[in-house]
């Protein structure tokens, strides 16, 4: 094997024979072959650092030759020779590599390895950075150190900074203390700047796109030229800030507004290039389900199955990525009255198992829309780069290397739906969520109308039409609108194709706008303000769900309405004088009408409103509540006993209170009929928010919630029923078609926005500060996958459970397991698990059957 080529330039017979002997030797030693049939490649390029299949190792050897001096095959099972000559000295440095940080560097540069293949001359700058990083992965932190290399130490320290949101000065001081404890030969970078410079090649960058500050246009693609497009073509606003001595062509021009665009393609490619993630990207097909009749993942629901049946070519490759998109605005200035609205756009893949899906490290920031003003109806302007990339990923795909299967494939991606609150729902869909036609499901078929004394409030009186044909509520002339019998049937849900056809017609007619720009049919026949940019996606009209109703905000708003009305919170209750006036005009409730006494109008007390003593009892009970750590926040801090009120409850506090505490809080203070209806509503949210959904149970819930809403209409005033109370009847359909709400609500994205908010260091450069921290977080998440098991990070805190169940045990999820929950009035009595179970599984009409258990 001394000469690889003969005089003709072909491989010599001696070299061929040596390669065959090497391969035969390796095949006789199965201990050096891993579970995927790979061995270390001893070619001059791989140098026993990279594993590959035997066929490709043989090809590498024929193309490049053996590593110089590698004659004793110790990395492939051969015993070390006795002689200690110069050859063996070289051999000692080429032993089998078990350093996970070398694998990390190789995975991070996998998309560039093809460029480096077969280079005979000096490496290009990109390859030089890769090899420099590879050397730091093997170089010990100090002479004689066996536990840490330079790269392992830096990545763990940077991960610590990112996870605990340390400042740079704090990091520098910590590193200085660590360096003073290390031997003199230590090589740890002395500050954060040098540490970041070392590992920045492990991260993925982003693109800056100039934008008009009035949200008119992006200077993107054909309009990106600085000379030709120095001002907005729509409003005329200058593109760059004026600066003395600068010209348009100067590189120092500072734009008024910048959109940060994080391309999603390389981020999805990295998921496959890392063996730690690639094996899970086919879980939606290969994952084990203990019960096929239970929906535990969007892949088990009808929307996913319908998409696969419609687009069979896309579904044939199980590694193609299904996506969800979410956006919302937030003010980065905590506790400040400065108006500022920054809008991140997140994208998350649904291929992953339940224990990994929706975790922060798999929610990718794709766009950061600059403030200070909200983009409003012009959100589509900023979505253009992302939509263009999604169209490329659908039409052509991109060649991606699967590190788990050791094969290249053409990766494609499809957007299943968007996730947002109700305000952003209108911005994303193009359907205005204001006014009489605010429901995007019922559309023009709604029966809502404006209350005469309710200012801008609309009453959604269309729930009885969803009841079965013979239901008694349809014929009730007294409990609902005066002398009205409901004979109509529920409106048909429009398909994506029908909506697209309607939008095409409206677009041709400029959405019904007249010469003055006023839309004549808007608000009467339709609520469309524009055709959303998502309709440019070829598959968008075939999706069963395009925009999700966010149950987080719906549940929060309903809870606020119930709690503020029952507790009679001044300024927030729906039972005010105007509501009583509307009640007199529309319904037959003489006992609730305003009474004129002593020259003033008085509001008779209703049965659903608590008096001051009852409110104090409820507040004292809430003040005594205690939960196990991690289940809920300290709700007792929100109670003001002096005023008998509750302040500052967050969305998750309302979520816990609505699903777990309402039946207990109002058990002794409300009439049984009212308490029973509120318990039914509580049970509905508990069932619809379950991590496992049974389609037959959801169908029953879809019917029962309509009757529950009708019962609420018989109890509460008209002003109580805005669009949020109406949207509840549409939630079960989306749960049945889209899967568990945990994959389609805002909670994980709100946490991501809180993370971004905490990363703002430079208040004058909010977006730049966020992007800088996010890139570091990406590097931190990527490197943490290669840490030793003894290193604790956020990734290793929650155990994985890939069988479709929750990350936490059921005992941690149920409030019934917390005996510290106070139930008694004054005596601090505890309810048993059985009593709590009876209360929360209330389904009986007659409350007296439960009363004996509550004595």
């Amino acid at each position: 094997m001394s000469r690889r080529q003969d005089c003709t330039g072909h491989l010599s017979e001696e070299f061929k024979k040596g390669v065959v002997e090497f391969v035969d030797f390796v095949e006789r030693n199965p201990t050096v072959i891993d579970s995927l049939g790979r061995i270390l490649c001893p070619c001059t390029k791989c140098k026993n650092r990279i594993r590959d299949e035997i066929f490709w190792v043989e090809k590498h050897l024929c193309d490049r030759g053996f590593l110089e001096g590698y004659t004793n095959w110790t990395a492939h099972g051969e015993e070390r020779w006795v002689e200690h000559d110069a050859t063996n000295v070289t051999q000692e440095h080429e032993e089998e590599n078990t350093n996970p940080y070398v694998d990390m560097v190789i995975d991070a540069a996998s998309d560039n390895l093809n460029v480096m293949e077969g280079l005979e001359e000096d490496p290009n700058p990109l390859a030089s950075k890769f090899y420099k990083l590879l050397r730091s992965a093997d170089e010990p932190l100090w002479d004689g150190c066996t536990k840490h290399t330079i790269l392992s130490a830096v990545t763990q320290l940077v991960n610590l900074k990112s996870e605990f949101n340390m400042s740079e000065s704090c990091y520098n001081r910590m590193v200085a203390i660590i360096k003073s404890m290390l031997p003199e030969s230590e090589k740890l970078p002395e500050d954060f700047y040098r540490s970041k410079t070392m590992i920045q090649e492990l991260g993925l960058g982003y693109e800056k796109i100039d934008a008009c500050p009035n949200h008119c246009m992006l200077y993107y693609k054909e309009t990106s030229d600085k000379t030709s497009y120095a001002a907005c073509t729509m409003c005329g606003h200058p593109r760059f800030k004026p600066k003395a001595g600068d010209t348009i062509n100067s590189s120092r021009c500072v734009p008024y507004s910048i959109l940060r665009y994080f391309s999603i393609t390389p981020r999805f490619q990295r998921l496959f290039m890392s063996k730690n993630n690639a094996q899970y990207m086919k879980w939606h097909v290969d994952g084990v389900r203990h019960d096929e009749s239970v929906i535990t993942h969007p892949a088990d629901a009808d929307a996913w199955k319908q998409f696969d049946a419609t687009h069979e070519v896309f579904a044939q490759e199980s590694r193609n990525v299904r996506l969800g998109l979410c956006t919302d605005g937030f003010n980065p200035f905590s506790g400040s009255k400065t108006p500022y609205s920054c809008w991140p756009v997140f994208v998350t893949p649904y291929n992953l198992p339940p224990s990994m899906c929706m975790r922060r490290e798999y929610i990718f920031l794709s766009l950061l829309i600059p403030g200070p003003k909200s983009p409003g109806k012009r959100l589509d302007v900023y979505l253009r780069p992302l939509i263009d990339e999604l169209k490329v990923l659908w039409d052509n795909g991109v060649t991606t290397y699967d590190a788990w299967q050791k094969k290249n494939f053409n990766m494609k991606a499809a957007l299943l739906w968007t996730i947002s609150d109700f305000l952003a729902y209108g911005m994303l869909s193009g359907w205005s969520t204001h006014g009489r036609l605010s429901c995007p499901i019922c559309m023009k078929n709604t029966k809502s109308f404006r209350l005469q004394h309710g200012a801008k409030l609309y009453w959604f009186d269309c729930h009885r039409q969803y009841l079965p044909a013979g239901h008694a509520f349809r014929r009730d002339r007294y409990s609902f609108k005066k002398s009205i019998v409901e004979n109509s049937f529920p409106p048909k849900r429009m398909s994506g194709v029908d909506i697209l056809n309607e939008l095409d017609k409206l677009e041709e007619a400029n959405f019904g706008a007249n010469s003055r720009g006023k839309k004549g049919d808007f608000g009467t026949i339709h609520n469309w303000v524009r055709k959303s940019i998502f309709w440019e996606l070829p598959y968008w009209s075939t999706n069963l769900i395009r925009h999700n109703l966010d149950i987080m905000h719906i549940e929060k708003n309903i809870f606020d309405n119930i709690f503020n009305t029952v507790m009679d919170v001044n300024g927030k209750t729906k039972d005010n004088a105007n509501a009583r006036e509307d009640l007199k005009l529309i319904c037959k409730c003489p006992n609730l009408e305003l009474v004129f006494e002593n020259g003033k109008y008085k509001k008779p007390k209703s049965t659903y409103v608590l008096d001051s003593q009852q409110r104090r009892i409820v507040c004292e009970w809430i003040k005594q509540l205690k939960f196990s750590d991690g289940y809920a926040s300290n709700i007792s801090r929100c109670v003001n006993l002096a005023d008998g009120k509750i302040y500052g409850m967050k969305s998750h506090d309302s979520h816990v209170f609505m699903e777990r505490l309402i039946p207990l809080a109002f058990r002794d203070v409300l009439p049984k009929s009212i308490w029973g209806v509120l318990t039914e509503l509580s049970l509905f949210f508990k069932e619809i928010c379950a991590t496992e959904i049974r389609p037959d149970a959801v169908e029953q819930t879809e019917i029962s919630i309509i009757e529950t809403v009708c019962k609420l209409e018989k109890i509460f005033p008209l002003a109580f029923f805005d669009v949020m109370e109406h949207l509840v009847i549409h939630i079960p359909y989306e749960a049945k078609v889209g899967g568990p709400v945990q994959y389609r609500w805002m909670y994980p994205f709100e946490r991501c926005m809180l993370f971004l908010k905490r990363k703002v260091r430079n208040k004058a450069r909010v977006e730049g500060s966020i992007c800088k921290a996010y890139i570091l977080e990406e590097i931190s998440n990527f490197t943490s996958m290669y840490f030793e098991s003894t290193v604790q990070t956020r990734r290793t805190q929650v155990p994985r459970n890939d069988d479709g169940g929750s990350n936490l045990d059921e005992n941690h999820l149920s409030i019934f397991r917390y005996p510290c929950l106070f139930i008694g009035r004054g005596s601090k009595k505890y309810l048993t698990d059985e009593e709590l179970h009876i209360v929360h599984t209330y389904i009986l009409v007659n409350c007296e059957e439960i009363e004996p258990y509550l004595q």
Side-chain angles (χ1 to χ4, degrees):
M1 283 193 303
S2 57
R3 290 182 59 88
R4 186 161 64 95
Q5 296 178 346
D6 56 18
C7 57
T8 63
H10 296 86
L11 291 176
S12 63
E13 293 298 328
E14 181 184 4
F15 185 82
K16 292 180 181 179
K17 182 179 178 181
V19 172
V20 172
E21 290 178 355
F22 172 78
V23 172
D24 292 341
F25 177 81
V26 170
E27 290 178 342
R28 292 194 302 269
N29 291 273
T31 57
V32 300
I33 305 176
D34 64 11
S35 59
L36 299 178
R38 302 175 305 174
I39 63 172
L40 291 171
C41 179
C43 71
T44 56
K45 172 67 175 178
C46 299
K47 298 182 178 180
N48 279 336
R49 297 178 183 272
I50 302 176
R51 288 182 176 272
D52 214 333
E53 297 175 2
I54 295 178
F55 170 81
W56 293 107
V57 170
E58 185 176 359
K59 186 177 185 301
H60 283 190
L61 293 175
C62 293
D63 292 341
R64 307 166 183 163
F66 277 87
L67 176 67
E68 183 179 356
Y70 187 60
T71 55
N72 185 188
W73 300 332
T74 54
H76 296 85
E78 188 176 14
E79 294 183 0
R80 185 178 300 278
W81 296 345
V82 179
E83 297 83 16
H84 294 279
D85 52 13
T87 302
N88 289 332
V89 173
T90 305
Q91 176 66 38
E92 291 177 358
H93 294 279
E94 305 300 338
E95 294 288 343
E96 178 179 358
N97 175 64
T98 58
N99 188 349
Y101 296 93
V102 173
D103 295 335
M104 178 184 70
V105 176
I106 294 171
D107 289 342
S110 293
D111 51 344
N112 300 319
L113 288 180
N114 292 334
V115 180
M116 306 176 198
E117 291 285 344
L119 290 178
E120 298 290 340
E121 64 274 7
D122 293 337
N124 56 53
L126 184 65
S128 297
K129 293 180 180 179
F130 167 72
Y131 288 126
K132 183 178 180 181
L133 198 59
L134 198 62
R135 284 193 297 270
S136 66
D138 262 345
E139 190 172 358
L141 185 58
W142 68 83
D143 295 343
C145 178
T146 58
K147 292 186 177 180
H148 281 289
T149 64
I150 300 177
L151 187 61
S152 71
V154 170
T155 53
Q156 291 187 30
L157 288 173
V158 171
N159 177 268
L160 195 67
K161 176 190 183 304
S162 177
E163 190 165 330
F164 292 95
N165 201 22
M166 297 166 54
S167 64
E168 291 189 18
S169 58
C170 177
Y171 178 90
N172 293 340
R173 290 186 63 181
M174 180 181 68
V175 170
I177 295 173
I178 294 175
K179 288 175 68 69
S180 65
M181 300 176 181
L182 299 179
E184 294 182 358
S185 59
E186 56 85 17
K187 304 166 188 175
L188 185 67
E190 59 187 18
D191 54 22
F192 176 70
Y193 175 79
R194 289 174 174 81
S195 301
K196 183 179 65 174
T197 303
M198 172 185 291
I199 63 174
Q200 65 183 359
E201 297 304 320
L202 297 174
L204 302 170
Y206 62 92
E207 179 183 357
K208 293 182 180 180
I209 303 175
D210 296 347
C212 173
N214 296 325
H215 311 306
C216 300
M217 64 172 290
L218 292 179
Y219 299 95
Y220 173 64
K221 288 188 176 179
E222 62 274 4
T223 60
S224 60
D225 182 67
K226 293 183 179 181
T227 305
S228 303
Y229 295 91
C232 178
T233 57
M234 298 181 65
C235 68
H237 194 285
R239 178 177 180 179
F240 301 105
K241 297 179 181 180
K243 198 171 183 179
D246 282 354
T247 62
I248 294 298
N249 292 323
S250 173
S251 60
R252 294 181 294 170
C253 289
V254 179
Y256 275 97
S257 182
I258 300 176
L259 169 70
R260 273 81 175 180
Y261 174 50
F262 300 77
S263 178
I264 60 176
T265 300
R267 286 163 172 83
F268 294 153
Q269 286 179 313
R270 175 163 287 188
L271 289 178
F272 287 99
M273 291 174 184
S274 171
K275 296 183 287 291
N276 297 316
N277 290 322
Q279 58 180 319
Y280 296 110
M281 289 299 288
K282 292 178 62 179
W283 185 93
H284 61 98
V285 173
D286 303 334
V288 177
R289 275 79 163 175
H290 294 305
D291 189 348
E292 295 294 337
S293 64
V294 176
I295 302 175
T296 60
H297 190 273
D300 306 329
D302 294 342
W304 191 299
K305 296 177 181 178
Q306 171 69 18
F307 188 90
D308 286 352
T310 306
H311 308 284
E312 295 181 353
V313 176
F314 180 88
Q316 286 176 358
E317 176 53 76
S318 59
R319 290 171 290 188
N320 287 338
V321 186
R322 277 80 166 177
L323 305 172
L325 180 144
C326 176
T327 186
D328 197 7
F330 70 96
N331 188 342
F333 305 110
S334 300
S336 173
K337 295 182 180 180
T338 303
Y340 202 98
S341 182
C342 181
W343 285 70
V345 179
F346 299 101
V347 174
T348 183
Y350 286 118
N351 295 40
L352 298 166
S355 60
M356 301 173 66
C357 197
M358 308 304 289
R359 293 183 63 174
R360 197 172 79 196
E361 50 264 36
Y362 301 108
I363 297 178
F364 301 101
L365 178 65
S366 60
L367 293 168
L368 189 60
I369 301 173
K373 296 184 296 183
S374 167
K377 299 177 182 178
R378 294 180 177 177
L379 179 63
D380 286 357
V381 173
Y382 294 99
L383 293 175
R384 170 56 59 190
L386 179 59
I387 296 298
D388 288 347
E389 187 173 9
L390 287 173
K391 288 193 289 187
V392 172
L393 287 174
W394 173 262
D395 295 332
N396 305 321
V398 60
T399 302
T400 303
Y401 180 70
D402 186 348
W404 182 251
Q405 297 187 4
K406 301 294 291 183
K407 294 179 181 179
N408 289 314
F409 74 101
N410 189 40
M411 181 191 70
K412 294 187 175 183
L415 182 65
L416 295 182
W417 50 57
T418 68
I419 305 167
S420 62
D421 61 14
F422 201 53
L423 175 63
Y425 189 111
M427 298 166 59
L428 290 167
S429 65
W431 178 273
S432 175
T433 54
H434 302 279
R436 191 179 71 86
L437 304 182
S438 56
C439 177
I441 310 300
C442 297
M443 294 187 167
K444 63 182 179 181
N445 298 313
T446 182
K447 293 186 177 181
S448 64
F449 59 91
R450 187 169 180 173
L451 298 177
Q452 183 174 339
H453 298 90
K456 297 181 180 180
L457 294 177
Y458 285 85
W459 186 40
F460 284 79
D461 177 44
C462 54
H463 303 120
R464 286 192 292 166
Q465 65 180 335
Y466 291 90
L467 292 170
H471 200 282
F473 284 173
R474 283 180 169 267
R475 301 186 301 272
D476 193 336
R477 298 173 179 266
Y478 303 99
S479 302
F480 301 94
K481 294 179 67 175
K482 289 181 180 179
S483 304
I484 298 296
V485 176
E486 185 61 68
N487 295 318
S488 59
F489 293 96
K492 182 181 178 181
R493 182 183 289 260
M494 292 185 66
S495 66
V497 176
D498 295 337
I499 295 176
L500 181 59
N501 293 334
E502 179 179 335
L503 282 171
D504 289 339
K505 294 178 182 178
L506 289 173
E507 192 175 29
E508 293 177 0
N510 195 20
F511 292 92
N514 55 26
S515 58
R516 296 181 179 179
K518 295 184 178 180
K519 299 178 180 179
D521 296 335
F522 178 82
T524 57
I525 299 178
H526 69 86
N527 248 28
W528 295 110
V529 294
R530 71 182 191 283
K531 183 179 180 181
S532 172
I533 194 173
F534 290 102
W535 293 104
E536 294 183 13
L537 299 174
Y539 51 85
W540 194 245
S541 60
T542 65
N543 290 356
L544 292 183
I545 300 178
R546 289 165 295 280
H547 307 281
N548 283 280
L549 297 172
D550 177 38
I551 195 172
M552 180 188 105
H553 288 91
I554 293 175
E555 188 179 36
K556 166 67 173 173
N557 281 274
I558 292 177
F559 169 78
D560 288 345
N561 285 352
I562 291 176
F563 196 82
N564 292 332
T565 302
V566 172
M567 298 290 288
D568 197 20
V569 179
N570 187 27
K572 296 183 178 181
T573 178
K574 297 295 183 180
D575 185 26
N576 49 39
N578 290 333
R580 297 294 180 94
E581 289 287 350
D582 289 323
L583 198 66
K584 179 179 179 180
L585 295 175
I586 299 173
C587 301
K588 292 183 179 181
C589 299
N591 57 326
L592 294 179
E593 296 178 4
L594 294 178
V595 178
F596 187 77
E597 292 181 359
N598 301 325
K600 295 182 180 180
Y601 282 99
K602 292 185 178 181
K603 185 176 63 174
K605 183 182 180 303
S606 55
T607 56
Y608 51 80
V609 175
L610 306 181
D611 56 31
S612 58
Q613 181 62 27
Q614 291 172 325
R615 291 197 295 270
R616 185 172 185 85
I617 291 175
V618 173
C619 289
E620 289 177 350
W621 178 80
I622 297 175
K623 191 70 175 179
Q624 296 174 356
L625 283 176
K626 295 181 181 180
F627 299 99
S628 293
D629 185 35
Y631 180 79
S633 66
N634 185 14
I635 299 180
S636 61
R637 62 175 170 76
C638 304
V639 179
N640 187 330
L641 291 177
D643 298 338
K645 296 181 181 179
I646 296 181
Y647 303 96
M649 288 187 65
K650 303 298 183 181
S651 296
H652 191 265
D653 299 333
S654 303
H655 171 70
V656 173
F657 209 109
M658 172 61 81
E659 296 187 15
R660 303 293 184 178
L661 302 180
I662 274 188
L664 306 176
F666 299 137
R667 174 174 55 89
D668 294 340
V669 293
L670 284 177
K672 296 176 183 178
S673 58
I674 298 176
W675 174 75
V677 177
L678 295 182
T679 304
E680 288 180 11
L681 186 63
S682 174
L683 181 62
F684 163 77
F685 280 109
K686 180 185 173 185
E687 292 177 349
I688 211 68
C689 293
T691 56
E692 297 181 352
I693 294 178
R694 294 187 179 275
D696 54 346
V698 175
E699 291 176 359
Q700 293 295 325
T701 304
E702 191 173 8
I703 298 173
S704 65
I705 187 57
I706 300 171
E707 186 172 342
T708 301
V709 174
C710 291
K711 290 179 182 179
L712 290 172
E713 286 187 29
K714 297 173 66 175
I715 298 172
F716 290 102
L718 305 181
F720 180 88
F721 297 93
D722 54 23
V723 67
M724 288 297 166
E725 281 72 23
H726 169 75
L727 293 176
V728 173
I729 65 175
H730 300 303
I731 290 177
Y733 170 83
E734 294 193 354
K736 179 177 62 176
V737 174
V741 298
Q742 284 76 17
Y743 302 91
R744 300 179 293 104
W745 63 7
M746 288 285 293
Y747 280 114
F749 303 101
E750 292 282 356
R751 296 187 188 103
C752 288
M753 283 185 279
L754 178 62
F755 161 78
L756 296 180
K757 186 175 181 178
R758 290 174 175 173
K759 293 296 182 179
V760 176
R761 296 289 183 184
N762 188 346
K763 302 295 184 180
R765 300 290 185 269
V766 172
E767 290 81 10
S769 182
I770 290 175
C771 293
K772 179 181 177 181
Y774 178 77
I775 292 297
L776 183 65
E777 175 74 6
E778 275 193 328
I779 298 174
S780 175
N781 288 334
F782 175 70
T783 57
S784 66
M785 294 188 297
Y786 300 87
F787 291 170
E788 293 81 0
S789 58
T790 56
V791 180
Q792 183 178 359
T793 64
R794 186 180 62 253
R795 181 183 294 273
T796 59
Q797 286 177 356
V798 179
R800 288 181 173 177
N801 179 15
D802 298 333
D803 59 355
S806 172
N807 291 341
L808 299 177
D809 189 278
E810 180 63 23
N811 292 339
H812 295 86
L813 294 177
S814 176
I815 199 173
F816 309 144
R817 304 296 179 179
Y818 297 111
C820 56
L821 182 64
F822 291 112
I823 301 300
R825 307 301 187 193
S827 61
K828 296 186 179 180
K829 171 190 173 184
Y830 293 92
L831 251 68
T832 64
D833 287 354
E834 181 182 3
E835 290 172 327
L836 283 171
H837 181 72
I838 292 172
V839 173
H840 278 277
T841 55
Y842 168 77
I843 55 175
L844 302 176
V845 177
N846 189 357
C847 300
E848 294 178 356
E849 298 186 23
I850 297 179
E851 189 65 20
Y853 295 96
L854 303 178
Q855 297 300 328

